[in-house]
Amino acid sequence: MKKLRGNTPPVPSVEWAYFLDVDGTLIDIADTPDAVEVDTVLPDLIERLYHASGGAVALVSGRSISDLEHHLGMLHLPLAGQHGLERRDVAGRLWIHTAPPDAKCAIKEALLPILARHPGLLLEDKGLTLALHYR
């Protein structure tokens, strides 16, 4: 591995794979999860990188895959949603890992009093996961 000098990134290699984080990296954090704004050129840039790298690109997010598709368009590349509980592979197959629904319900119920005391908190139910947002 080459040592970096200053802030100069290494020269890209055809042997690299790109796992790109979405929220807070490709898309700026917004006041609420639904208020994100996607730069109109972003989906095209991702698609171009996907083809230039021979398909060695995947997006990773805490969002669900359907939410990623809603905000980014129907990109046909591997995706990991809900922190890896949902994964779509290069062939388009969807893999879903679920936890017992009772566990999520118990966590959600335990958070209700905290949400009532702190109006700046937002509990987002993503289906397989819960996210507690604060600003």
Side-chain angles (χ1 to χ4, degrees):
M1 179 171 204
K2 291 184 179 181
K3 186 175 181 181
L4 295 179
R5 296 176 196 194
N7 292 328
T8 306
V11 176
S13 167
V14 295
E15 297 173 353
W16 286 9
Y18 300 87
F19 296 86
L20 305 175
D21 179 48
V22 176
D23 292 292
T25 304
L26 296 179
I27 300 173
D28 289 334
I29 298 291
D31 288 339
T32 64
D34 290 333
V36 296
E37 293 184 21
V38 178
D39 190 312
T40 57
V41 301
L42 181 62
D44 183 56
L45 288 173
I46 295 168
E47 194 80 35
R48 287 174 41 209
L49 177 60
Y50 180 76
H51 292 294
S53 68
V57 174
L59 300 183
V60 180
S61 179
R63 294 177 178 273
S64 68
I65 287 177
S66 63
D67 194 34
L68 286 172
E69 290 175 334
H70 170 75
H71 284 93
L72 296 171
M74 296 298 286
L75 295 172
H76 298 286
L77 60 134
L79 299 172
Q82 298 197 54
H83 305 286
L85 291 178
E86 297 178 314
R87 289 180 291 115
R88 185 176 71 200
D89 65 24
V90 71
R93 292 178 301 235
L94 189 60
W95 303 87
I96 299 175
H97 305 276
T98 61
D102 293 347
K104 188 180 97 175
C105 287
I107 294 168
K108 193 173 185 178
E109 200 168 300
L111 288 172
L112 291 177
I114 296 166
L115 291 164
R117 287 194 312 270
H118 302 283
L121 295 176
L122 170 68
L123 182 63
E124 180 187 11
D125 188 334
K126 298 180 178 197
L128 298 175
T129 61
L130 298 169
L132 186 61
H133 300 274
Y134 64 93
R135 299 285 184 265

